[in-house]
Every structure is written in structure tokens, then in C-alpha cells.
Amino acid sequence: MSNKISKEEAAFASLPLNIQNALEQKNRIVFIANNPSINTAQLEQLLQPDDVLVLFNHFIHADFFANHLLISKLPKLLFFRQIGDSKLHFGLPPRSNNVAVMKRMVKAAPLGILLSNQPYQFPLPSEDPNPDDDPITSDRILIIPPVVQELLQNDSYHRVLSERHPVVADYPYFGDIHSSAPSSGFLLYRLLLAAREHLQLVQESDLPLRLLMIGFNDNDKTAHFWHGHNWSFERREMSAPPQEVEVIRQY
């Protein structure tokens, strides 16, 4: 008998244990893009008590997610992407970050942290190859405090996700662009869509997890983002998502 696991099971196993447990209890995964047109009033209307939230890098409305009476209680998966081949990840020190918010989040609800490609290596500000891209200000937290370091060393909270995970095996990379890869949103979309299929199979569920994508577009308004992502491929797939996926397109 083969010991090879399916792509769907591999996707579920890639998640921090806290998020695996949360998905087993919930019935909707909500992806929230870093789209400036999303406001907190809209989120209050859309979000429900049985949601699991997925936030990216410098995630918007951080204080809202950490402090809102009801939404602070929702499980959250945070994805921080590695910056090229550096030791840095977008959204974590020594770049601009929401470390203080993460400390509040972990006290309120199950929290999961996914880092792309490599574990966090606690880089120093001097190791930032392009500090002018994200200049240091007086209110910047430049180090990871011990309580967050503990999260980053615990499988219940933290995992590392390869940008070449089997869920994106069909992704058309650009061979002439260094570090060409799926966008953060598309990578996590594929990962959790597959993890959902695994849960549906093992739970024999008649009411499988649904996905809600807020602020993800299938038009050309995101063309100004990094050219190493194959936006045409991603937009084409997001223009006709599966039945269990709802996409709220806005800009």
C-alpha cells in the first residue's frame, strides 16, 4: 500500500494545529485582502460567529480584528510572506508590523501563523536589504517579543508553507523573473480550498466549508502589483470560482 498522502491531506496538514481544529468546528473561511476599499462597517455586516479569518502580511484594520467585541473572538490565520531570499517577511519586524496586535489576538481566539518558505530568523534592522522601502519610524516594533517568539516555535500556532506546495503545481511561473510565485492570496486560496476538500471527505459532510473572498478582483486593477505573479492566470481562475466560493469584488 502506498504511504503517499493526497494533495488535499497535505494542504490540511500544512496548517497550524489551532487552525486545523478551528476548521473542524466552523463552516466558513473568510479571506480579507489588503484592499483599501474594505471598511470596518462592511466587515461588521459580513462576518459571522462561525467564521475563520485569513489575513495577509501587513493586514488592514489590525486593531479592529484584535479589539472588536465579537470579531476578536474569531479564529485567525495570518500569512507572512518571505521577502525574496532575505531573512525578512512582509509584516514582521524589522519592517512595519502588527506584533502588538498579534499578542492581543492570541489571548482572544485561536491563532495560526504561516510563514512562506522559511522559519522566522529574528533578523536585525541592519539585515534589511532595502530599508528605504519601509522606513523605520518611532512607533515601530523592531524585535519579536518573547511571547510571540514562543508562538513561532510551536506547531500549534506556526507552520512554514512552501510557495511550491502541491496545491499550486499547475501555476505558470515566469522563468525569467527571480522568485516568480503565486500571490499570497492565491496561494492561500488554493491551500484552503484543498484543505476544505480533505475535511469534507473525512467528515463525510453534507454541509462543507464555504469560502468567502473579500476584496479580491479578477480585473486589471491589480496590475501594478509585483510582476512576478502571474496575474492573468490568477484572474482567470478567480473569475469562475467553484460553487462553494463567494467572491466580493470591489476596489
Side-chain angles (χ1 to χ4, degrees), residues 19 43 55 79 103 106 119 133 135 147 157 160 171 189 192 214 228:
I19 300 303
L43 293 173
L55 308 174
F79 180 62
K103 290 169 64 177
V106 77
D133 288 352
V147 64
Y157 298 94
V160 175
Y171 195 84
Y189 165 72
L192 286 160
I214 304 176

Side-chain angles (χ1 to χ4, degrees), residues 7-228:
K7 174 183 70 176
E8 292 75 19
E9 187 176 356
F12 187 75
S14 298
L15 299 169
L17 294 176
N18 277 348
I19 300 303
Q20 293 182 24
N21 295 336
L23 294 181
E24 289 171 350
Q25 306 300 321
K26 306 289 179 176
N27 68 15
R28 192 170 70 162
I29 307 169
V30 181
F31 299 72
I32 302 170
N34 286 326
N35 185 323
S37 70
I38 299 170
N39 59 60
T40 56
Q42 177 189 19
L43 293 173
E44 280 187 309
Q45 282 190 316
L46 289 171
L47 298 182
Q48 300 172 2
D50 53 5
D51 288 338
V52 176
L53 306 185
V54 183
L55 308 174
F56 302 93
N57 296 317
H58 308 287
F59 49 93
I60 62 171
H61 306 311
D63 287 323
F64 171 80
F65 291 118
N67 300 329
H68 188 279
L69 183 62
L70 299 178
I71 293 168
S72 65
K73 306 299 182 186
L74 302 181
K76 299 171 185 69
L77 176 63
L78 312 180
F79 180 62
F80 299 103
R81 184 166 214 140
Q82 183 183 356
I83 302 176
D85 294 327
S86 73
K87 295 182 178 181
L88 281 67
H89 289 81
F90 291 109
L92 289 175
R95 293 295 184 95
S96 59
N97 57 79
N98 290 313
V99 168
V101 170
M102 292 166 62
K103 290 169 64 177
R104 296 200 296 275
M105 284 180 169
V106 77
K107 293 179 180 178
L111 183 72
I113 301 168
L114 273 178
L115 302 183
S116 71
N117 288 348
Q118 66 175 19
Y120 191 74
Q121 299 179 55
F122 311 106
L124 299 172
S126 60
E127 294 176 289
D128 188 343
N130 295 295
D132 292 338
D133 288 352
D134 199 356
I136 292 172
T137 59
S138 58
D139 60 354
R140 180 77 57 83
I141 296 176
L142 297 176
I143 61 171
I144 296 281
V147 64
V148 179
Q149 289 193 32
E150 291 175 10
L151 302 181
L152 293 171
Q153 294 166 343
N154 185 327
D155 282 350
S156 292
Y157 298 94
H158 167 253
R159 293 291 173 89
V160 175
L161 178 67
S162 170
E163 293 175 344
R164 302 280 178 148
H165 192 281
V167 296
V168 286
D170 63 333
Y171 195 84
Y173 299 93
F174 297 123
D176 60 335
I177 299 176
H178 177 64
S179 299
S180 176
S183 68
S184 298
F186 190 81
L187 177 61
L188 268 289
Y189 165 72
R190 280 284 192 87
L191 185 79
L192 286 160
L193 195 63
R196 167 203 170 276
E197 292 182 34
H198 170 72
L199 270 180
Q200 183 180 4
L201 178 65
V202 299
Q203 294 182 339
E204 299 180 347
S205 173
D206 293 327
L207 294 171
L209 280 161
R210 294 174 293 126
L211 277 68
L212 173 62
M213 317 285 292
I214 304 176
F216 292 82
N217 299 303
D218 60 12
N219 55 34
D220 62 1
K221 291 181 179 178
T222 50
H224 62 282
F225 287 164
W226 186 55
H227 57 282

